[in-house]
Amino acid sequence: MIKNASVLAWVEEMKKLTNPDHVVLIDGSEAQLDELRAQAVKTGEMIKLNEEKLPGCYLHRTAVNDVARVEDRTFICTDTKENAGPTNNWMDPNEAYKMLYDIAKGAYAGRTMYIIPYSMGPVGSEFSKIGIELTDSIYVVLNMAIMTRVGAAVLEALGDSTDWVKGLHCKCDIDAEKRYICHFPQDNTIISVNSGYGGNVLLGKKCFALRIASFLGKNEGWMAEHMLILGLEKPNGEIKYIAAAFPSACGKTNLAMLIPPEKYRNMGYKVWCVGDDIAWMRIGEDGRLWAVNPENGFFGVAPGTNEKSNPNALASTKSGTIFTNVVHNLDDNTVWWEGLDKNPPKNALNWKGEPWDASKGEKGAHPNSRFTAPAKNCPCISPEFDSGKGVPISAIVFGGRRAKAAPLVYESRNWQNGVFVGSIMASETTAAATGAVGVVRNDPMAMKPFCGYNMADYFAHWLEMGKKLGDKAPKIFNVNWFRLDDEGNFMWPGFGDNMRVLNWILDRCEGKVDAVETPIGYVPKTDDIDLDGIDVTKETLAELLDVDKDVWNKEVENIAKFYEQFGDKLPAEIKAEFEGLKSRLQ
Ligand code: OXD
Ligand code: MN
């Protein structure tokens, strides 16, 4: 039962608008979710998978025109265009509401309205925030029940507060021409129409926890970032936490759940996963930066996930998981995707549900096919995951997919320079969003698609947070696991071996190792990255750490072009850092 007057009033208004046949409040009980699973199986919306091999797991297929986030149809509807900034699409809020309400009018007729009260962060924790999502999709309800904390306890925690985020999702006809993902940061409102793809419709994730929350963070003095959070436990039992931002599909989930190389495991090293995609960070009473993962599950990219790349993610998908757009193995009613193993099923349907023959060379799973898995399934989930008080961050790491420019790792000169390093992040695009794959694009702090306000103001907010943190500020680094040699081969093994780089990062935080100054920042001495047990020579490491002035002088031209769009709004500190880089490159 909803008692909160502000929730009741809005739900009533949306009922009048969308005209549902039935209304169901999601109470969070297993019994209710089970009933919905059964209904979805009956209508074909989901396929129940092999209960012995994959207990509680389901397969879903989206419409073929609806397989990724649609950044060109995602809008920030602030009062002025300037407040949304040049990196966002903007729509006048009045016009947007009118257009969206026209589309949503009667959209639930013949359908059921599901009301999902959800908490981003553990229910009732000081860090957490509450949202209500209305949807006509059981798939959305069941995904939200994995990705967030849903149900009656959330309404109880909300009490009569008006501090919550409205979210309306209507599948409509999945018409790509009328697909809109709109955010109204000044009204705490999200409206998503004509899509059924997770990133567009699980409104707690990108829409709330990043776009709306980044806006709230700016006004309330905290940060909402596109970052994984991991804890690295040393043999003496001490755990240090790292938050890291990478563009979509650049291995965040893999890094977040990394298994240390055997030698390190034997020594007692361990990695704990706090989160794989989003970090909400606040300054704690001790003056340090504390982070929580507001989510409750993983919405991970399936292709490439396997026993070697990410055994912990794979283990997380073994029960209670919803798979989207992967291959259906008809022989044993399980799932498969490219890169899972070398044995594609013989008797199978591809992600579109068509008979599929792997030997013909066409991919079976969509490159952006996904698993929605409960975080509690992860064998290395941090004991702090559910605590609600967060974890103290020692280092912030930025990264991207760069063939040449960025070295394996470098440390920024200080917080202000680190904000500059984040602001010049660029990466080759992936399948997580529609559009060309493999094109280098600027993606500051991996937030370009997710910042809910003017990116220049976002840089200013980062600088402001640094001033507040003072000497307690985490150190800021940049990594690149994807550097290629002249033949186009990856030079660094990546995956679990990335821990060798994390060790250097933490050693730097603790003042244990020296470094070499370069024009862009500090890189390791080649003796300080442990190469024991991997097939990387000192010479290759030297190449991996090389900062090529010619390449960087070209990079400077790109940065100048990218910055141009911010005009006078670009903070003076960022301009000064850019001038500093240019002069060091001379
Ligand atoms: C995601 C993304 O789904 O960044 O996490 O696209
Ligand atoms: Mn992401």
Side-chain angles (χ1 to χ4, degrees):
M1 261 275 290
I2 302 172
K3 297 199 196 98
N4 180 301
S6 58
V7 176
L8 273 176
W10 179 68
V11 169
E12 274 316 306
E13 190 190 333
M14 291 302 108
K15 265 199 245 172
K16 281 203 190 99
L17 174 72
T18 57
N19 192 28
D21 280 17
H22 306 280
V23 177
V24 173
L25 174 63
I26 298 304
D27 61 20
S29 68
E30 257 325 290
Q32 187 188 47
L33 294 174
D34 256 344
E35 213 176 282
L36 292 173
R37 289 178 190 118
Q39 255 187 62
V41 168
K42 211 162 146 193
T43 59
E45 189 176 349
M46 299 209 303
I47 295 164
K48 169 96 184 87
L49 296 167
N50 187 319
E51 182 60 22
E52 254 161 50
K53 292 188 175 173
L54 294 169
C57 292
Y58 294 82
L59 168 65
H60 170 80
R61 298 188 189 106
T62 64
V64 294
N65 72 0
D66 188 29
V67 291
R69 287 183 290 99
V70 280
E71 291 176 9
D72 56 330
R73 308 197 69 91
T74 298
F75 291 83
I76 302 296
C77 309
T78 35
D79 52 355
T80 64
K81 188 168 171 23
E82 193 186 9
N83 280 341
T87 59
N88 280 314
N89 299 312
W90 176 81
M91 223 188 283
D92 171 79
N94 294 322
E95 279 173 29
Y97 276 125
K98 185 178 174 320
M99 177 194 69
L100 294 164
Y101 283 175
D102 275 350
I103 294 173
K105 195 168 187 321
Y108 286 0
R111 303 183 184 189
T112 300
M113 169 191 275
Y114 298 98
I115 306 171
I116 316 171
Y118 65 95
S119 174
M120 299 311 293
V123 179
S125 133
E126 254 179 77
F127 257 101
S128 301
K129 298 221 168 247
I130 286 174
I132 309 283
E133 175 163 357
L134 307 179
T135 181
D136 52 347
S137 160
I138 296 181
Y139 170 76
V140 167
V141 173
L142 296 175
N143 272 274
M144 285 294 284
I146 297 172
M147 293 305 297
T148 72
R149 286 97 169 158
V150 302
V154 176
L155 286 176
E156 201 144 303
L158 181 64
D160 54 14
S161 167
T162 53
D163 183 12
W164 54 279
V165 171
K166 306 177 178 86
L168 173 67
H169 166 240
C170 307
K171 281 191 292 191
C172 305
D173 306 315
I174 314 289
D175 179 349
E177 299 297 312
K178 291 189 186 151
R179 185 167 300 150
Y180 293 98
I181 322 299
C182 293
H183 306 72
F184 302 83
Q186 285 151 327
D187 308 343
N188 274 339
T189 299
I190 305 156
I191 302 180
S192 163
V193 292
N194 275 298
S195 176
Y197 169 73
N200 299 327
V201 299
L202 307 179
L203 301 186
K205 194 174 180 61
K206 304 301 189 183
C207 301
F208 180 168
L210 288 177
R211 298 195 188 99
I212 298 285
S214 61
F215 178 88
L216 294 174
K218 158 92 177 152
N219 293 327
E220 296 170 3
W222 53 283
M223 308 167 91
E225 300 298 330
H226 192 203
M227 289 181 179
L228 66 90
I229 311 163
L230 67 80
L232 203 158
E233 182 173 337
K234 309 233 181 111
N236 67 3
E238 187 190 30
I239 305 178
K240 293 274 163 120
Y241 294 93
I242 295 175
F246 296 81
S248 306
C250 282
K252 276 217 312 295
T253 306
N254 293 347
L255 185 64
M257 299 175 193
L258 168 158
I259 294 193
E262 191 180 354
K263 163 182 156 180
Y264 286 92
R265 288 202 302 279
N266 294 341
M267 286 159 74
Y269 281 90
K270 194 167 176 18
V271 166
W272 297 100
C273 172
V274 182
D276 80 326
D277 195 41
I278 297 173
W280 284 1
M281 304 195 285
R282 290 170 194 271
I283 300 175
E285 277 168 17
D286 61 0
R288 290 190 292 172
L289 192 62
W290 288 70
V292 297
N293 167 15
E295 300 192 280
N296 201 28
F298 308 119
F299 184 61
V301 177
T305 304
N306 59 50
E307 254 331 314
K308 179 168 176 285
S309 67
N310 196 341
N312 284 319
L314 201 58
S316 307
T317 67
K318 293 297 178 195
S319 66
T321 292
I322 300 173
F323 297 93
T324 302
N325 292 343
V326 296
V327 171
H328 190 191
N329 180 347
L330 297 174
D331 280 334
D332 64 354
N333 191 24
T334 58
V335 289
W336 191 86
W337 50 77
E338 276 69 23
L340 173 64
D341 56 38
K342 297 215 160 73
N343 309 307
K346 299 269 175 309
N347 179 20
L349 301 179
N350 68 10
W351 68 274
K352 297 178 195 163
E354 303 159 345
W356 174 70
D357 181 350
S359 65
K360 294 202 170 134
E362 237 178 62
K363 287 204 159 81
H366 187 275
N368 191 38
S369 53
R370 298 277 177 150
F371 54 80
T372 316
K376 68 172 176 5
N377 281 4
C378 180
C380 68
I381 196 73
S382 163
E384 298 298 329
F385 169 74
D386 240 346
S387 75
K389 72 177 183 8
V391 294
I393 298 298
S394 298
I396 288 176
V397 177
F398 295 123
R401 190 179 277 273
R402 295 307 304 271
K404 287 279 174 243
L408 177 64
V409 58
Y410 68 99
E411 179 190 335
S412 64
R413 305 164 79 83
N414 51 43
W415 180 276
Q416 175 173 306
N417 179 250
V419 176
F420 168 72
V421 167
S423 80
I424 63 167
M425 261 174 77
S427 189
E428 285 137 33
T429 49
T430 67
T434 51
V437 169
V439 178
V440 174
R441 80 161 181 185
N442 292 85
D443 192 353
M445 285 81 167
M447 281 289 278
K448 178 176 177 296
F450 307 120
C451 183
Y453 60 102
N454 192 311
M455 196 113 222
D457 292 333
Y458 169 79
F459 297 153
H461 180 47
W462 265 81
L463 293 166
E464 197 56 39
M465 291 296 291
K467 285 184 196 134
K468 287 189 194 151
L469 285 158
D471 60 4
K472 302 232 169 85
K475 280 186 183 287
I476 301 180
F477 298 80
N478 192 89
V479 299
N480 176 24
W481 317 132
F482 301 95
R483 194 136 163 179
L484 301 179
D485 65 17
D486 291 338
E487 277 80 53
N489 305 306
F490 289 114
M491 296 169 76
W492 179 249
F495 302 110
D497 289 311
N498 291 337
M499 208 197 86
R500 298 165 192 268
V501 175
L502 299 185
N503 263 349
W504 182 80
I505 286 175
L506 289 180
D507 282 349
R508 284 296 291 171
C509 293
E510 290 163 28
K512 288 189 188 155
V513 282
D514 235 348
V516 182
E517 190 175 351
T518 76
I520 62 170
Y522 300 96
V523 301
K525 294 184 160 169
T526 49
D527 279 341
D528 289 335
I529 299 278
D530 177 22
L531 299 178
D532 181 32
I534 48 171
D535 205 10
V536 176
T537 61
K538 272 267 163 71
E539 292 68 45
T540 305
L541 179 61
E543 263 180 69
L544 274 161
L545 295 172
D546 182 51
V547 176
D548 183 324
K549 281 196 176 177
D550 290 341
V551 172
W552 273 89
N553 274 311
K554 281 211 191 82
E555 202 70 9
V556 158
E557 289 169 25
N558 285 341
I559 298 168
K561 231 182 270 156
F562 178 67
Y563 278 171
E564 231 171 70
Q565 62 189 317
F566 300 112
D568 289 346
K569 258 184 129 33
L570 190 70
E573 292 92 329
I574 298 289
K575 280 185 211 150
E577 288 298 332
F578 188 29
E579 291 310 315
L581 173 66
K582 284 196 275 192
S583 71
R584 287 191 299 273
L585 283 169
Q586 290 310 309

